[in-house]
Amino acid sequence: MRVKLLLALLPAVCLLGPAKYTHAQQSSAPPPTATGRIAGVVKDPLGAVVPGAKVEVKNLASDFTRTATTNPEGSFAFDGLAVGHYQTTIVVSGFEIVIVRDIAVLADRETVLDIALRIPPLKTDIEVNAPETETSAAIRPQPDEVARSRNTAELFENAPGVSLRENGQLASVPLLHGMGDERARLVVNGMTVSSACANHMNPPLSYVAPSQAAEIVVMAGITPVSMGGDSIGGTIAVESRQPVFAKAGERLHQETAATGFYRSNGQNYGGSITEWISGRNLAMGYVGSWTTNSDYTDGSGHKVTSTYAQSTDHAVTLATQGARNFLGVEGSLHHVPYQGFPNAQMDMVRNVAESLNLHFRRSYEGGALDARVFWQNTWHSMNIGHDKSTFPMPMNMPMNTHGRDLGYTVKLDLPLSALQTLRAGNELHRFVLDDRWPAVAGAAPYMGPDTFVSIDNGRRLRVGSFAELASKWSSQWTTLFGLRNDTVWTNAGPVQGYSSMYSADAAAFNALNRAIRDVNFDATATLRFEPNAAGSYELGYARKTR
Ligand SMILES: [Cu+2]
């Protein structure tokens, strides 16, 4: 399938207007001891008053300061301020700091400040090992968001261009401008991960626990070729927390974090543990999480069947660093013993995914070499869950799949000048999938006596290469040009039906030439304008292929 995306104009972030302030009318020259008052109300972006906000006033001439906290009505007042010019600072956790400069305080007058708090812009300072991109800001989920989210996709469902298709509790499928599943490329810690569910009920993102997602970059529009390829919807890149090393002067760094939650509806509870023990050059980390829930109850008090789920995740990281080098290996294990699907006559009865990811990075003046080798193995079983109405369907319909991802990536960042960076890379990804449905006793010839071989040794090998030129012309204007090639080889073994009644269909498929090669080319050209911290605009052209 080939699709061209033309002229995607993406206003990225738009914030509310600045804090407004008004002050009273002029008065005649004040006597030497004259005083006035500053008072006001602090409101959040929705207009609700904010109690407990820290407010400080500072006299610009004398640096004399006073502080106060807003009352339950969100208001504050400073009486008896010497006449003059003041600066007011309002600090509320979770919002941008508001500074109102040069407020005139006049004798026997009240200066009124109406403070509208703003949500801080999405952070754009990409960390050293995180995916690098000119087009998107990173989302860093907070612990309360992690505890609230049933699955990792919910952590970024409010990002521009994203919507979720709800499946099982752990398996929301992210759609980028309506394109999901294999149209949206998923990169987890630099690994390309495929769905091992032949029915595509479970997105590969469901193998990543919310507690392991430290940073998420969603590219729903023009994806740079260095982050794209093999997808027409865009790319979702999830990074777990970077290894923590002891700082200078610290002999041993140790940190422990634990979270837990309970939600009465559906008896949903779970938690996570994070542990790091590190020296200056060696770091060991562990993240584990567990969550379970039974069926939830809707607003009318009815139980919604097949909404139960349980999940366990472990990830272990071992890393070492030198002055310019970093080498890390992460192993993870994801286990779902059961997960109901309220929207399908099929449930997940087991999913075990294990992965290994080796990462090397070497940085030099302004540039870096980044290389990874990765492997993931997923055993996935579906069947009709115990609470499904089975008439006239059979009681049992096992479907077992086995998926394997194997690949490498090599990326080079080469600064050409103070303004321009050239990125080049090469990657390989191999995915193998088997899908077999065991015979059901007594159900021949429809579902027996043989095993239904739906996919036998289905394999897909992709080798991709790209080059990309990023130019920062000023603090406001950036251009990005990229080209990439992906060559894809696909093949599969012969299929087989449950019985001879499927023989004609199987024979027709088996007679086809199943070895196929595709040579695909992608291109992007993007112009980005960031007039201020509150907004950014992109105009671009992309040719994408899947
Ligand atoms: Cu499945």
Side-chain angles (χ1 to χ4, degrees):
M1 188 187 328
R2 293 199 164 95
V3 162
K4 287 182 184 182
L5 288 183
L6 287 161
L7 301 177
L9 186 59
L10 298 173
V13 184
C14 191
L15 295 173
L16 298 169
K20 289 177 291 188
Y21 67 94
T22 54
H23 60 78
Q25 295 136 7
Q26 296 284 336
S27 70
S28 54
T33 55
T35 60
R37 168 185 162 96
I38 294 177
V41 177
V42 179
K43 292 180 176 174
D44 69 17
L46 297 173
V49 299
V50 177
K54 288 195 186 103
V55 185
E56 181 196 81
V57 290
K58 181 166 89 173
N59 185 300
L60 293 177
S62 67
D63 278 345
F64 164 82
T65 58
R66 273 170 61 188
T67 55
T69 305
T70 54
N71 67 14
E73 283 72 52
S75 56
F76 63 89
F78 296 94
D79 288 302
L81 294 174
V83 165
H85 290 267
Y86 288 79
Q87 171 176 298
T88 301
T89 307
I90 297 95
V91 181
V92 183
S93 144
F95 294 92
E96 280 193 331
I97 293 172
V98 179
I99 299 172
V100 186
R101 294 194 171 84
D102 203 3
I103 305 156
V105 170
L106 307 171
D108 300 315
R109 300 281 175 172
E110 181 183 67
T111 301
V112 179
L113 302 178
D114 289 318
I115 307 297
L117 295 172
R118 308 190 301 182
I119 293 167
L122 297 175
K123 289 171 190 164
T124 51
D125 49 324
I126 306 290
E127 285 172 13
V128 176
N129 295 320
E132 283 145 19
T133 165
E134 268 77 31
T135 66
S136 294
I139 296 166
R140 297 192 176 89
Q142 299 303 304
D144 60 318
E145 296 172 300
V146 170
R148 268 203 304 275
S149 299
R150 298 174 304 166
N151 55 64
T152 299
E154 290 191 345
L155 294 172
F156 58 87
E157 70 174 319
N158 295 321
V162 173
S163 54
L164 300 186
R165 192 179 76 212
E166 305 272 334
N167 270 347
Q169 295 289 296
L170 310 170
S172 294
V173 178
L175 308 175
L176 303 177
H177 292 300
M179 290 181 274
D181 200 32
E182 287 180 334
R183 297 178 184 87
R185 187 174 180 198
L186 176 72
V187 181
V188 179
N189 288 330
M191 303 190 283
T192 300
V193 185
S194 313
S195 175
C197 176
N199 294 347
H200 290 252
M201 293 154 63
N202 279 90
L205 194 57
S206 68
Y207 312 148
V208 181
S211 60
Q212 285 167 356
E215 185 169 279
I216 301 163
V217 177
V218 178
M219 281 155 276
I222 306 291
T223 310
V225 293
S226 59
M227 289 302 296
D230 207 33
S231 60
I232 54 176
T235 297
I236 299 163
V238 179
E239 291 276 326
S240 53
R241 189 165 166 205
Q242 298 304 318
V244 185
F245 292 95
K247 293 182 184 68
E250 194 182 18
R251 260 193 76 217
L252 190 72
H253 177 86
Q254 195 254 344
E255 64 178 72
T256 305
T259 65
F261 69 92
Y262 169 71
R263 198 176 288 118
S264 60
N265 192 344
Q267 298 296 306
N268 181 195
Y269 53 97
S272 68
I273 293 173
T274 306
E275 177 74 38
W276 282 97
I277 299 175
S278 316
R280 292 279 291 143
N281 300 312
L282 193 67
M284 280 189 300
Y286 167 78
V287 182
S289 63
W290 185 74
T291 170
T292 187
N293 68 278
S294 54
D295 291 333
Y296 68 78
T297 305
D298 72 8
S300 308
H302 300 121
K303 191 164 88 167
V304 182
T305 57
S306 295
T307 54
Y308 57 85
Q310 188 176 102
S311 172
T312 308
D313 288 89
H314 304 280
V316 176
T317 303
L318 196 61
T320 176
Q321 68 170 11
R324 289 178 174 274
N325 296 326
F326 170 90
L327 181 67
V329 61
E330 185 184 67
S332 79
L333 180 68
H334 164 82
H335 179 221
V336 175
Y338 50 82
Q339 177 182 198
F341 280 69
N343 57 348
Q345 184 67 14
M346 188 56 64
D347 301 285
M348 184 200 274
V349 293
R350 186 177 85 120
N351 192 94
V352 178
E354 51 207 6
S355 73
L356 275 177
N357 186 352
L358 184 70
H359 182 200
F360 172 73
R361 189 174 172 91
R362 180 174 174 80
S363 51
Y364 47 91
E365 293 310 319
L369 171 73
D370 193 288
R372 287 179 190 272
V373 181
F374 59 87
W375 166 83
Q376 173 152 312
N377 184 55
T378 308
W379 297 95
H380 178 83
S381 297
M382 292 164 280
N383 206 334
I384 297 167
H386 60 86
D387 66 350
K388 289 262 153 76
S389 164
T390 54
F391 181 81
M393 297 288 287
M395 297 296 288
N396 196 17
M397 190 180 172
M399 306 170 82
N400 301 326
T401 62
H402 181 203
R404 288 85 91 195
D405 287 290
L406 182 68
Y408 72 75
T409 61
V410 181
K411 289 187 184 186
L412 187 67
D413 277 19
L414 201 65
L416 299 180
S417 68
L419 294 179
Q420 294 192 302
T421 303
L422 178 71
R423 283 185 204 127
N426 174 258
E427 59 188 40
L428 176 145
H429 176 228
R430 184 173 195 264
F431 179 58
V432 182
L433 185 67
D434 283 289
D435 183 27
R436 279 159 215 276
W437 310 352
V440 176
Y446 305 101
M447 294 175 59
D450 302 324
T451 297
F452 191 105
V453 180
S454 171
I455 301 170
D456 173 63
N457 193 23
R459 49 209 185 268
R460 186 175 196 271
L461 174 70
R462 180 175 58 87
V463 177
S465 304
F466 65 83
E468 183 174 277
L469 182 66
S471 311
K472 186 114 183 134
W473 301 106
S474 72
S475 62
Q476 297 183 328
W477 293 94
T478 312
T479 58
L480 186 69
F481 295 98
L483 264 179
R484 76 174 284 149
N485 160 251
D486 288 277
T487 302
V488 185
W489 291 266
T490 49
N491 204 346
V495 296
Q496 169 189 295
Y498 280 119
S499 67
S500 59
M501 68 180 276
Y502 300 90
S503 295
D505 289 336
F509 178 83
N510 293 339
L512 294 172
N513 173 25
R514 301 184 294 279
I516 295 167
R517 189 185 68 149
D518 289 291
V519 181
N520 302 325
F521 288 93
D522 287 8
T524 55
T526 309
L527 174 68
R528 183 179 170 89
F529 175 54
E530 295 167 279
N532 52 50
S536 63
Y537 301 86
E538 251 176 48
L539 182 67
Y541 170 87
R543 182 188 197 282
K544 307 186 198 180
T545 320
R546 169 76 194 192

